[in-house]
Amino acid sequence: MATGRVDLDGNTIKPITICMIGAGGFIGSHLCEKLMADTPHKVLAVDVYNDKIKHLLEPSSLPWADRIQFHRLNIKNDSRLEGLIRMADLTINLAAICTPADYNTRPLDTIYSNFIDALPVVKYCSENGKRLIHFSTCEVYGKTIGAFLPKDSPLRQDPNYYVLKEDSSPCIFGSIEKQRWSYACAKQLIERLIYAEGAENGLEFTIVRPFNWIGPRMDFIPGIDGPSEGVPRVLACFSNNLLRREPLKLVDGGQSQRTFVYIKDAIEAVLLMIENPARANGHIFNVGNPNNEVTVRQLAEMMTQVYSKVSGESSIETPTIDVSSKEFYGEGYDDSDKRIPDMTIINRQLGWNPKTSLWDLLESTLTYQHRTYAEAIKKATSKPVAS
Ligand SMILES: NC(=O)c1ccc[n+]([C@@H]2O[C@H](COP(=O)([O-])OP(=O)(O)OC[C@H]3O[C@@H](n4cnc5c(N)ncnc54)[C@H](O)[C@@H]3O)[C@@H](O)[C@H]2O)c1
Ligand SMILES: O=C(O)[C@H]1O[C@H](OP(=O)(O)OP(=O)(O)OC[C@H]2O[C@@H](n3ccc(=O)[nH]c3=O)[C@H](O)[C@@H]2O)[C@H](O)[C@@H](O)[C@@H]1O
C-alpha cells in the first residue's frame, strides 16, 4: 500500500472511503484494481453483478481484503443506498445502461437508468454534504457543428467546427424519433441537475465525459459471457467477429469517426480527480485521446491486422461487410460523426495526458480477448448443432 503520497499541490493524501456505484462494470473494475493496488483508499463496491471484480474480492488473504466490500444492490429501489453514501467521503456513480444497441430499442429503460435512477444518488450526496464524481459521456455533445456544413466545405477542417470543449460546445442531437439520443439527452439533463445542485446548494461535484475508453473486460462476447443476441459496443462486436472468423460489420459503411483511449490511461485521470478535490470540484472533464482518431472502417482494418499478429491466424478473405444501421440497430438509430476532445481544461486542472497509441492498446486488449475467449469459442463452434 502506498503511504506518504502527495497531491498535485504537495499536500499529503489522506485515505478516504469511496462508495463506487457500478463498480462491477468495465470502468469500475479497472478503477477498483488501481485503488487497491496503488492507494490506501477503501471502496464500498455497489453493483448488481461482481463477475469483473471477483479477483479483487477473493481470497480473503488478499493484501487489500479489509479495504474493499461488495454490496449487491440495485440502486433503483434499495433503502441501503443512502446509508452507503453517508458512510463514504466520496461517491462515484458509474451505473448506467450505456450500450447504443439499447438506446433506440429500450429508450424508456435507457432514460430511467441514465436520469431517473441517478436522482437519489445526487440528492443523498447533496443532502449529506458528500462529494460526487458522476460519469456522463462524450455523447452529450452529439454531432459536431461541422456535420451540418456542405460535405465539401473547407470549414469542416476548421477545429472550431469539430473540437468538443466542455465550457463552450453546444449539445446537438437528432430529432425525437431518432431515439438513439435518449441516452445522451438523459445524461445531459442529469449533468444540468448536478450543476444546479452545485450552484444552488453547494454540492461538490465533478463530471466525467469519457471519449470511448476501451480495454480488457469491456462488455461481453455474445454467446460466451453474454446473451447470443446481445449487441455490445464496437470493441466487443469486432473482437467477437475476429474470434469467430466472421467479417466485421461496418454500420453505414463505417464512416463515423471516434477517438479511443486506453482504459489504463483514463483511470489515471480519474485517480487525479479523486485525489485532487480542490482542482476537480466544480469541473466537467473530457477524458479522451485526440491523437487516436480513426474511422470505424480504419478501426476494423487495424483490429484485423493486430488480431492476426496476436492470434497467429491469417485474416479471412472478406474481413469487413457493410450493413445498414436499420438492419444492425433497428429503427431510430443515429450517430455522432466525430469526437475530438479539447484537452485544455484537464491539462490545466490536472496536468493529465493520455500515453498509449491505438495500435498498442489494441495489441494488449486483443491479446487479452484471444487468451480469454479463443478456447471457449472453438468449443462453442465445434459443438454439433442440436437436431
Ligand atoms: N466505457 C466508456 O468508454 C464510456 C464512455 C462514455 C461514458 N461511459 C459511462 O461510464 C459509466 C460506466 O461505463 P462502463 O463502460 O463501465 O459500463 P458497464 O456497463 O460496464 O458498467 C456499468 C455498471 O453499472 C451497473 N449498474 C447499472 N444499473 C445499475 C443499477 N440500477 N444498480 C446497480 N448497478 C447498476 C451495471 O451492472 C454495470 O456493472 C456509465 O455511466 C457510462 O455511461 C463509459
Ligand atoms: O464510449 C463512449 O464514449 C460513448 O460512446 C458509445 O457510443 P458509440 O461510440 O457510438 O458506441 P459503439 O457501440 O462503440 O459504436 C462505435 C461506432 O462503431 C459502429 N459499429 C459498432 C459495432 C459494429 O459491429 N459495427 C459498427 O460499425 C457504430 O455504428 C458507431 O459508429 C456509448 O454510447 C457509450 O459507451 C459511451 O457513451
Side-chain angles (χ1 to χ4, degrees):
M1 178 181 77
T3 51
R5 296 165 64 247
V6 292
D7 66 18
L8 293 172
D9 298 310
N11 310 307
T12 305
I13 293 170
K14 296 188 196 65
I16 61 169
T17 299
I18 299 167
C19 174
M20 192 188 306
I21 304 167
F26 163 57
I27 294 178
S29 65
H30 286 273
L31 187 52
C32 286
E33 273 180 359
K34 180 72 182 173
L35 289 165
M36 290 303 112
D38 294 349
T39 82
H41 306 310
K42 284 193 165 77
V43 172
L44 306 174
V46 173
D47 205 309
V48 181
Y49 306 109
N50 67 3
D51 315 69
K52 296 183 181 178
I53 51 171
K54 263 218 172 80
H55 63 291
L56 297 171
L57 303 172
E58 295 157 356
S60 53
S61 57
L62 284 167
W64 51 71
D66 61 337
R67 291 196 288 119
I68 185 165
Q69 289 171 5
F70 177 64
H71 297 266
R72 192 182 302 277
L73 65 90
N74 185 325
I75 64 168
K76 281 181 184 297
N77 49 21
D78 197 302
S79 57
R80 290 174 288 171
L81 177 62
E82 183 171 11
L84 289 163
I85 290 175
R86 290 170 64 127
M87 277 165 67
D89 303 290
L90 162 67
T91 288
I92 299 178
N93 190 13
L94 293 149
I97 290 174
C98 52
T99 39
D102 290 321
Y103 307 160
N104 59 308
T105 55
R106 295 168 59 198
L108 284 174
D109 290 341
T110 298
I111 292 165
Y112 270 76
S113 171
N114 284 282
F115 179 64
I116 308 283
D117 299 344
L119 290 174
V121 177
V122 180
K123 177 170 164 258
Y124 295 145
C125 287
S126 193
E127 286 174 352
N128 292 285
K130 300 291 182 178
R131 213 185 139 209
L132 170 65
I133 295 180
H134 185 80
F135 272 71
S136 180
T137 169
C138 64
E139 211 157 307
V140 293
Y141 295 109
K143 299 165 179 276
T144 63
I145 300 169
F148 299 87
L149 291 169
K151 283 267 178 289
D152 58 354
S153 165
L155 283 176
R156 278 179 175 252
Q157 314 313 321
D158 179 341
N160 291 314
Y161 286 80
Y162 65 78
V163 174
L164 302 171
K165 197 166 171 4
E166 300 92 333
D167 55 358
S168 58
S169 294
C171 305
I172 307 175
F173 303 138
S175 53
I176 298 299
E177 68 266 21
K178 294 289 184 194
Q179 289 189 304
R180 187 263 163 74
W181 301 110
S182 56
Y183 164 78
C185 200
K187 285 286 197 186
Q188 182 195 139
L189 189 54
I190 198 71
E191 280 201 27
R192 293 187 183 280
L193 182 123
I194 290 167
Y195 196 88
E197 275 291 347
E200 285 187 41
N201 299 328
L203 171 68
E204 290 183 331
F205 72 88
T206 299
I207 291 170
V208 185
R209 288 182 183 166
F211 279 68
N212 291 84
W213 300 5
I214 57 177
R217 298 198 295 268
M218 184 171 207
D219 295 343
F220 57 89
I221 296 295
I224 303 299
D225 54 357
S228 311
E229 69 292 346
V231 180
R233 289 169 286 190
V234 70
L235 175 87
C237 279
F238 284 178
S239 300
N240 183 45
N241 298 140
L242 290 165
L243 283 155
R244 294 175 187 271
R245 299 185 64 74
E246 296 163 347
L248 281 62
K249 298 186 179 71
L250 302 182
V251 170
D252 294 342
Q255 290 317 305
S256 294
Q257 292 179 295
R258 292 292 189 273
T259 53
F260 293 96
V261 63
Y262 191 34
I263 181 70
K264 293 192 184 301
D265 293 350
I267 292 300
E268 295 297 332
V270 181
L271 185 59
L272 284 165
M273 294 173 203
I274 292 169
E275 297 189 326
N276 291 274
R279 288 168 172 254
N281 282 342
H283 287 282
I284 299 171
F285 291 111
N286 287 339
V287 183
N289 189 337
N291 308 315
N292 281 350
E293 182 177 51
V294 283
T295 64
V296 176
R297 179 178 293 276
Q298 288 165 336
L299 175 71
E301 287 158 1
M302 192 181 279
M303 285 182 70
T304 301
Q305 283 175 44
V306 171
Y307 188 76
S308 276
K309 183 181 172 198
V310 304
S311 65
E313 295 167 12
S314 60
S315 64
I316 58 174
E317 272 303 294
T318 332
T320 63
I321 50 166
D322 290 3
V323 295
S324 71
S325 51
K326 189 166 174 211
E327 193 184 336
F328 192 79
Y329 288 112
E331 289 294 339
Y333 184 74
D334 196 0
D335 208 355
S336 299
D337 55 304
K338 190 176 178 69
R339 292 179 177 170
I340 300 273
D342 181 279
M343 305 291 279
T344 310
I345 297 177
I346 195 162
N347 283 171
R348 184 190 66 217
Q349 294 302 110
L350 301 171
W352 177 83
N353 272 299
K355 298 191 292 282
T356 312
S357 71
L358 184 54
W359 181 276
D360 289 351
L361 74 88
L362 287 174
E363 201 162 19
S364 46
T365 304
L366 288 173
T367 301
Y368 168 87
Q369 302 284 59
H370 183 253
R371 191 179 60 235
T372 309
Y373 295 107
E375 271 318 297
I377 293 255
K378 216 170 264 149
K379 279 204 199 88
T381 43
S382 62
K383 224 186 300 175
V385 178
S387 47

